[in-house]
Amino acid sequence: MASERYNAPVREKHWQQVWKERSTFRTKEGGKRPKCYVLEMFPYPSGRIHVGHSRNYTMGDVLARYKRAKGFNVLHPMGWDAFGMPAENAAMERKVHPGKWTYENIDVMRAQLQSMGLSIDWEREFATCHPDYYRHQQKLFLDMLKKSLAYRKSSKVNWDPVDMTVLANEQVIDGRGWRSGALVEQRDLTQWFFKITKYSDDLLDALGTLDKWPEKVRLMQANWIGRSEGLMVRWALALKTAPKGFKELEIYTTRPDTLFGASFLAIAPDHPLATAAAAKNAELAAFCAECRRLGTSVAALETAEKMGFDTGIRAVHPLDPDWELPVYVANFILMDYGTGAIFGCPSGDQRDLEFARKYGLPVVPVVMPKDGDAAKFAIGDTAYVDDGVMINSRFLDGLDTKAAFEEVAKRLESEKLDRKPVAQRKVNYRLRDWGISRQRYWGCPIPVIHCEDCGVVPVPDADLPVMLPEDATFDVPGNPLDRHPTWKHVACPTCAKPARRETDTMDTFVDSSWYFVRFTAPHADTPVDQKAANYWLPVDQYIGGIEHAILHLLYSRFFTRAMGASGHLKKTLKEPFAALFTQGMVTHETYRTRNGQWVPPSEVRLEGEGEARKAFDIGSGQPLEIGSIEKMSKSKKNIVDLDDFIDQYGADTARWFVLSDSPPERDVIYTDVGVQGARRFVQRVWRLVEDCAEAGSGKGAPRPPSFGPEADQLRRAAHKALNSVSQNIEGLRFNVAVAQIYEFTNTLQSMTARTGEGLQWALREATELLVQMVGPMLPHLGEECWARLGYNTLLADQPWPEAEPALLVDDTITIAVQVNGKRRDELTVARTATREEIEAAALELEPVVRALSGRPVKKVIVVPQRIVNVVG
RNA sequence: GCGGACGUGGUGGAACUGGUAGACACACAGGACUUAAAAUCCUGAGGCGGCAACGCCGUGAGGGUUCGACUCCCUCCGUCCGCACCA
């Protein structure tokens, strides 16, 4: 019998050392093996790794180890998304330099990841905050600038008037700055942009080629790009009502067919016409100012109560010179989309309807359902937004939506206003250019110099990298680069006159938009080593959180194209990630004290069950409030530290736990009992192997000429398990693979007490297969067991076993027999049984006869190998 | 507000392209081993009724399509994610 328990923490360190000494996971290009690039989204070095983070890396690692065993040349790298605001916040709060804070975090987190036993090639590790990385990013920027993919324009920021600084959206809380509490305002600032809109169509169309991406992500991206076909329509303004110099207002609409249902026009608060009108109207100016206080977040703008202000300006309907409509300024119209102006058709748009009801504007139905009655059709609380038949629309009446669109477009295209067509067709996108300027220290400096005479001058390649100054100060808000006494003062590279550096740094999304390329040659002198990039790219399996479904992935797709255009990647490589998997979070209950402070689970004692469950602070003994289950996060402190976990249970238990039960794309709730189950299994495998090593056939014992029924049954179970576990690992259905391993382990264990012809050999075979199957998931235990079974090779170097096809197919098959769709019995027949044979056998079954209770059989549906349904 | 997803026993979940709902695990109950505990092993179990055989109900709620629906369609409810300066 098994003597000792498996001491995971000790043995895991041993095997990690062995892998390291033998460079087991070092990657090299070339060779005959097919390549496979497995990548998990790299982490931000926020401090420590918790069990929540570990899930993503475990999944990638299982796949990487599996693919390695399947004979692939695997690239599985790791690095650090190391620029970002938390480092700067730490600098302000704790007087520690962002660089020091970041690198210290990296050291801690690297050690933590290594203690998980990941099959990572650590020689490729880099941090994006290191000049060795960002110098190449600056080069990429300059090449994009040359190709006009980077440019400057004015755009809005959240401005904190007290701290005199730009705020991120997350730093704006209920319209106020998070530190100062001051009312935030929108401010215009000249900023750098990447021309992602140049690729709107391509980014949209190519989604069709990404068949290994989740459908929902593709859909979200398509909606984000938001292609629409519509009409730009110019409305004449009633001159005596409009500010000087304003003769017309151009709007964008996707529903010109509803023009006869128009009852108002609305413009954005920062539309030029609004600004001009506000100059002479203090009340309007106040309204516009109020709108600006909502900050720049679209979510905030659209959740706010819909409000409008009648400017007094009137516009002439393009299809009826005698019809004038009011022009409102409205807080939900965005200057960035279309022309920043719309016409409102309350009967055909819910938001317009609510606006019209609020301000007493007419609601005229112009589209009704195909089978509707024009005389009776009216709009109540709900707008009719679908296609249908035109009514109350003069020459459009009776046409369908599409025809009406065409008719209006045709008319307005040929009509003239001020000698130009009233309208023109326009394909519009919701996607905006990517604003990359950040007024912060801890980011990649934008490598340009502003000269009074020469304008914007790129930093010459030879002067790269533009390094961040070490001696920045963080004691006051605002941009440390801008207020640095010397850093920004340089000579103009062109004319040598005194000039100043750009003090904006890049959005950290830029860093993560090409890191997967850099991993293919992390030490190259140029940003990209084309040979390595061409060999490894695209990433074969990318794994990360669903929260990145839009921005990070879209930016990376853009960057791949932009790097193609600027000569850094071959142009035929368009998509960086061939397959994408979005994994769920690990969640945990939250606990807080009476005065609202979060308490980590490690300091909580729980009592009772169900409704009566209570939580107490271990230190003070005071009762705590048990809050909702949320994703593990530092801010809510509901995290379980990876070191604590591994010290107690070992890495394999952590890995098994995060893979078990929950489907990987869904959230998993952390519970201690779930962890206990995982630990139990680790010990159980060890015991089985110990028993087998002592009692089973020896290593390499000759295969018996024949097997008795017990051995045959075990071998079938083993090979079937191997087959489906392989498929489920490949399909990333880890929870199902885990369940199948459990099932097989149960079978194996139940066989150990039995005897039969060839059973000892079969037990040895099954045990070895079990070890190989759990290997990618429990790599340390796998090595330990492999050694215990007498091998002096590494399990990590073993090829994946092949299932014997003959053992996967059974001779007989059990199918369900239904009567009128209800299961009444089951039937075991030969695999090769014909429809007629199955039907005859089914009709004789006693429960079937009983369920029919004498009724005649009307029909029998037989789906061979599946089901019989008797309809009576 | 807009866009996207998800909802199955006490719990996490399984169910291939519409074909035996509840695999597997956790928790629970009973038993074995033990001086005892832990660990381990065996057995049981969706709900209701019944000694049982068995019957009825059952995949968030309501409706529909089908011989047959967790799966497809419509309406509703609830939860979660994203919304462009968090990463």
Side-chain angles (χ1 to χ4, degrees):
Chain A
M1 279 307 284
S3 43
E4 266 178 64
R5 286 170 65 81
Y6 171 61
N7 187 341
V10 171
R11 299 311 294 159
E12 287 177 352
K13 289 214 171 49
H14 167 75
W15 291 112
Q16 284 162 16
Q17 189 58 32
V18 171
W19 293 327
K20 193 176 171 188
E21 279 163 10
R22 302 201 194 174
S23 297
T24 302
F25 303 117
R26 173 113 158 258
T27 309
K28 290 193 191 100
E29 277 82 37
K32 284 199 190 113
R33 294 177 297 164
K35 69 95 183 179
C36 183
Y37 185 176
V38 178
L39 184 66
E40 299 98 58
M41 290 181 185
F42 68 161
Y44 177 79
S46 56
R48 300 185 63 77
I49 300 248
H50 56 68
V51 175
H53 298 118
S54 72
R55 197 175 187 214
N56 167 269
Y57 309 119
T58 304
M59 291 177 188
D61 194 51
V62 171
L63 187 70
R65 284 175 178 271
Y66 170 80
K67 287 286 186 182
R68 225 171 143 269
K70 288 289 271 186
F72 286 86
N73 186 23
V74 171
L75 174 59
H76 187 213
M78 181 59 67
W80 309 97
D81 191 11
F83 273 137
M85 285 206 308
E88 230 162 317
N89 293 335
M92 266 187 264
E93 285 157 14
R94 289 181 242 167
K95 314 244 177 284
V96 50
H97 189 273
K100 187 172 187 294
W101 183 85
T102 303
Y103 285 115
E104 282 174 4
N105 286 347
I106 288 175
D107 286 341
V108 170
M109 290 171 71
R110 181 193 306 108
Q112 289 190 295
L113 285 181
Q114 286 174 340
S115 71
M116 286 180 65
L118 303 175
S119 62
I120 281 170
D121 179 1
W122 284 102
E123 290 183 29
R124 291 176 186 251
E125 174 196 358
F126 59 73
T128 58
C129 65
H130 198 281
D132 284 348
Y133 182 81
Y134 71 68
R135 67 181 298 182
H136 298 296
Q137 188 161 307
Q138 290 174 339
K139 170 70 174 156
L140 293 180
F141 174 91
L142 291 174
D143 290 340
M144 285 165 77
L145 187 60
K146 269 187 210 145
K147 291 279 174 187
S148 303
L149 287 168
Y151 69 100
R152 295 213 304 165
K153 73 171 178 184
S154 175
S155 89
K156 300 202 180 325
V157 294
N158 298 309
W159 180 255
D160 184 322
V162 171
D163 277 353
M164 303 287 279
T165 186
V166 177
L167 298 178
N169 281 337
E170 71 158 11
Q171 297 174 323
V172 179
I173 297 151
D174 297 330
R176 291 173 183 274
W178 66 334
R179 284 184 212 281
S180 69
L183 280 172
V184 167
E185 33 191 83
Q186 286 180 13
R187 244 198 202 194
D188 287 307
L189 218 58
T190 300
Q191 309 210 73
W192 286 95
F193 283 80
F194 281 143
K195 209 166 177 50
I196 190 172
T197 55
K198 183 177 175 185
Y199 298 97
S200 298
D201 262 324
D202 190 24
L203 289 167
L204 181 64
D205 293 345
L207 286 173
T209 67
L210 298 173
D211 55 341
K212 291 180 189 164
W213 281 39
E215 180 58 33
K216 62 176 170 180
V217 174
R218 287 188 286 164
L219 197 58
M220 279 192 251
Q221 292 218 350
N223 288 333
W224 186 258
I225 295 167
R227 185 181 196 275
S228 64
E229 289 178 20
L231 219 51
M232 302 282 273
V233 184
R234 297 161 60 228
W235 298 55
L237 297 178
L239 285 184
K240 47 187 190 305
T241 65
K244 253 207 184 92
F246 287 87
K247 287 196 282 189
E248 62 176 70
L249 176 62
E250 189 171 38
I251 60 106
Y252 177 75
T253 178
T254 57
R255 292 297 300 274
D257 51 297
T258 64
L259 257 178
F260 286 110
S263 58
F264 64 94
L265 280 77
I267 59 177
D270 43 346
H271 191 282
L273 180 59
T275 311
K280 286 195 188 157
N281 184 336
E283 258 185 275
L284 176 57
F287 178 79
C288 292
E290 183 61 37
C291 292
R292 277 194 276 277
R293 285 219 182 93
L294 282 167
T296 58
S297 140
V298 174
L301 294 177
E302 299 212 344
T303 340
E305 194 194 343
K306 308 287 168 287
M307 294 211 288
F309 190 98
D310 187 350
T311 57
I313 302 168
R314 294 294 173 264
V316 181
H317 197 283
L319 292 165
D320 181 350
D322 298 325
W323 183 359
E324 289 191 355
L325 290 86
V327 178
Y328 279 75
V329 171
N331 63 353
F332 54 90
I333 306 298
L334 307 174
M335 194 57 217
D336 291 312
Y337 186 70
T339 61
I342 60 135
F343 84 81
C345 173
S347 63
D349 181 284
Q350 194 59 34
R351 193 163 60 176
D352 293 349
L353 179 64
E354 278 156 29
F355 191 83
R357 295 288 189 223
K358 184 164 182 173
Y359 295 102
L361 298 162
V363 178
V364 180
V366 285
V367 185
M368 66 168 187
K370 283 230 151 54
D371 49 3
D373 177 355
K376 288 187 194 147
F377 187 70
I379 297 292
D381 292 338
T382 313
Y384 181 77
V385 298
D386 296 327
D387 287 358
V389 182
M390 305 309 301
I391 52 173
N392 301 324
S393 294
R394 308 185 196 182
F395 58 87
L396 300 175
D397 283 351
L399 294 180
D400 67 32
T401 302
K402 204 163 178 205
F405 183 117
E406 290 304 316
E407 181 61 29
V408 170
K410 212 161 47 179
R411 283 212 190 202
L412 294 182
E413 274 171 329
S414 57
E415 274 184 40
K416 302 278 195 254
L417 172 65
D418 205 12
R419 278 173 301 187
K420 284 175 289 193
V422 170
Q424 65 184 88
R425 287 168 200 265
K426 174 89 196 275
V427 173
N428 206 29
Y429 298 90
R430 213 182 70 97
L431 182 66
R432 309 197 297 253
D433 275 338
W434 173 12
I436 60 157
S437 281
R438 298 291 182 268
Q439 292 70 40
R440 299 186 214 296
Y441 170 80
W442 197 233
C444 171
I446 294 176
V448 298
I449 289 164
H450 299 278
C451 171
E452 263 181 41
D453 292 349
C454 313
V456 174
V457 183
V459 171
D461 284 358
D463 295 349
L464 294 184
V466 176
M467 302 261 286
L468 288 168
E470 276 294 313
D471 56 342
T473 56
F474 304 95
D475 45 349
V476 288
N479 184 352
L481 290 181
D482 200 39
R483 65 166 177 261
H484 190 279
T486 56
W487 185 77
K488 69 179 169 186
H489 303 293
V490 284
C492 169
T494 311
C495 70
K497 275 177 45 176
R500 64 176 186 83
R501 281 192 193 287
E502 173 65 66
T503 57
D504 285 353
T505 50
M506 292 185 211
D507 179 6
T508 56
F509 269 125
V510 180
D511 313 338
S512 56
S513 290
W514 71 286
Y515 76 107
F516 48 89
V517 182
R518 188 69 190 164
F519 273 141
T520 65
H523 310 297
D525 294 336
T526 50
V528 181
D529 173 339
Q530 295 243 15
K531 194 167 162 248
N534 289 341
Y535 175 75
W536 286 113
L537 293 173
V539 173
D540 293 282
Q541 181 66 60
Y542 196 35
I543 305 177
I546 184 69
E547 69 273 19
H548 292 295
I550 298 176
L551 293 180
H552 162 61
L553 291 167
L554 195 60
Y555 291 156
S556 298
R557 298 179 62 217
F558 160 69
F559 241 74
T560 306
R561 287 160 171 77
M563 287 171 76
S566 54
H568 291 282
L569 288 173
K570 61 177 180 187
K571 284 194 178 165
T572 47
L573 177 80
K574 287 202 163 174
E575 292 298 335
F577 312 120
L580 172 70
F581 185 81
T582 56
Q583 102 283 358
M585 316 281 173
V586 178
T587 59
H588 196 292
E589 250 177 8
T590 50
Y591 312 98
R592 58 203 306 188
T593 61
R594 288 237 172 84
N595 46 25
Q597 280 180 318
W598 303 103
V599 180
S602 55
E603 294 168 23
V604 175
R605 179 168 49 87
L606 291 164
E607 284 179 11
E609 270 178 52
E611 293 292 301
R613 241 165 118 256
K614 283 187 181 131
F616 300 92
D617 187 300
I618 290 175
S620 66
Q622 68 163 316
L624 299 169
E625 184 193 325
I626 299 180
S628 56
I629 295 169
E630 302 195 40
K631 83 170 176 196
M632 284 193 182
S633 75
K634 245 181 143 177
S635 59
K636 304 233 163 96
K637 292 196 179 164
N638 59 338
I639 53 182
V640 175
D641 188 79
L642 191 65
D643 282 0
D644 295 348
F645 190 103
I646 289 179
D647 286 348
Q648 201 175 349
Y649 302 107
D652 283 339
T653 295
R655 296 168 62 111
W656 190 256
F657 169 72
V658 297
L659 295 170
S660 302
D661 287 352
S662 261
E665 69 278 9
R666 228 187 281 176
D667 289 350
V668 59
I669 302 173
Y670 183 95
T671 57
D672 285 323
V673 289
V675 173
Q676 299 300 341
R679 185 178 58 169
R680 228 177 348 242
F681 180 72
V682 169
Q683 295 295 340
R684 198 171 154 207
V685 172
W686 176 244
R687 273 196 314 276
L688 277 169
V689 170
E690 286 254 273
D691 290 351
C692 175
E694 284 166 23
S697 306
K699 181 182 74 167
R703 177 180 170 134
S706 63
F707 295 99
E710 297 83 6
D712 187 61
Q713 193 193 334
L714 177 59
R715 297 198 70 226
R716 283 181 185 277
H719 286 257
K720 279 183 189 167
L722 171 62
N723 189 47
S724 47
V725 166
S726 308
Q727 283 173 13
N728 283 314
I729 289 178
E730 221 149 315
L732 307 175
R733 292 177 295 269
F734 303 112
N735 59 321
V736 185
V738 164
Q740 284 163 339
I741 289 173
Y742 271 123
E743 204 168 359
F744 168 55
T745 308
N746 290 342
T747 307
L748 173 57
Q749 195 163 349
S750 70
M751 285 292 177
T752 53
R754 301 178 65 174
T755 52
E757 189 190 0
L759 187 60
Q760 285 307 308
W761 192 91
L763 279 169
R764 170 85 195 192
E765 182 196 32
T767 306
E768 284 195 13
L769 285 175
L770 174 64
V771 169
Q772 290 190 275
M773 270 186 257
V774 299
M777 305 188 201
L778 306 171
H780 311 88
L781 178 72
E783 296 292 2
E784 189 76 15
C785 293
W786 194 244
R788 184 72 183 83
L789 287 169
Y791 293 100
N792 51 19
T793 51
L794 286 184
L795 180 62
D797 291 330
Q798 298 311 302
W800 194 251
E802 294 275 341
E804 284 179 26
L807 294 173
L808 301 179
V809 193
D810 293 326
D811 297 337
T812 59
I813 209 161
T814 303
I815 59 176
V817 181
Q818 300 179 332
V819 176
N820 292 332
K822 240 177 216 171
R823 182 185 166 279
R824 294 296 172 180
D825 203 355
E826 51 186 39
L827 190 60
T828 302
V829 293
R831 164 167 284 275
T832 53
T834 63
R835 268 166 199 281
E836 291 71 26
E837 287 164 355
I838 295 171
E839 178 172 339
L843 288 174
E844 277 176 19
L845 291 169
E846 197 271 326
V848 173
V849 176
R850 183 153 25 101
L852 282 167
S853 54
R855 282 179 310 237
V857 175
K858 288 187 196 140
K859 193 164 139 192
V860 180
I861 289 148
V862 179
V863 184
Q865 299 182 31
R866 281 276 162 83
I867 205 163
V868 180
N869 190 9
V870 181
V871 186

